[in-house]
Structures are given as structure tokens and as C-alpha cells.
Amino acid sequence: MTEEETVTRLKQAAEAKRATEQAAAKKFEDAVVVALLEGLKPKTVAEATGYSYETIRRIARANDIGRLREPTVTSRKKAQPGDESSA
């Protein structure tokens, strides 16, 4: 096999690897979205997958899934209109 043929084979293998990784990432993301929409808590998804809570949160945000948890007491107070003491 010539050097050119070997390089062509390497490029094809690298492209196939990238395509497989992208497909696997999409499948993983879809599974995370389904789990969250079915009511699984992000912490549970993170523990089950071995990915961080932050990764799960980013996947949720990228797929337009709303809040993953209720706002904290402090956040709710800040969100109330007309409460000048929290500003």
C-alpha cells in the first residue's frame, strides 16, 4: 500500500470515528432530555450517567427545558416585583 493510500485510509477512519462520536453524543443527549421530561431529577440523571450536574443542566437548557429545580427562597424574594428592600 502506498503512503497516499495509507493516509487516505487514516482520514476515512478518523471521519468515521467523528461521525460515530457525534451520533453517540446525540443519542445520549436525547436520552437525557427524555429522562428529564419524564420527571427524573437532574441529580439522578447525573449520578446514573456519570456526567456532572452542570452537563445535564446545559443539555436541558440547550433543549429548552425549563427550570430544573424550584428557585431558592432568596431567588423568589428577588423576583418579587415592588420589593425595594432586596435591591
Side-chain angles (χ1 to χ4, degrees):
M1 189 178 309
T2 67
E3 184 177 324
E4 186 177 322
E5 290 171 329
T6 303
V7 169
T8 299
R9 249 187 169 168
L10 284 170
K11 287 180 180 180
Q12 290 170 342
E15 180 56 35
K17 181 178 183 276
R18 276 191 291 277
T20 300
E21 289 171 345
Q22 289 173 349
K26 179 65 175 146
K27 187 175 180 180
F28 172 74
E29 187 174 302
D30 291 346
V32 168
V33 168
V34 168
L36 293 172
L37 291 175
E38 288 180 352
L40 225 55
K41 293 183 179 183
K43 179 181 177 186
T44 305
V45 175
E47 289 171 352
T49 62
Y51 283 83
S52 70
Y53 179 91
E54 182 62 17
T55 298
I56 303 306
R57 186 194 67 74
R58 287 178 183 169
I59 290 171
R61 179 171 283 174
N63 288 276
D64 297 323
I65 296 176
R67 285 191 174 271
L68 299 178
R69 63 184 175 89
E70 288 299 315
T72 61
V73 174
T74 304
S75 297
R76 281 191 294 231
K77 284 183 180 178
K78 287 181 182 177
Q80 290 177 351
D83 185 7
E84 301 301 320
S85 63
S86 63

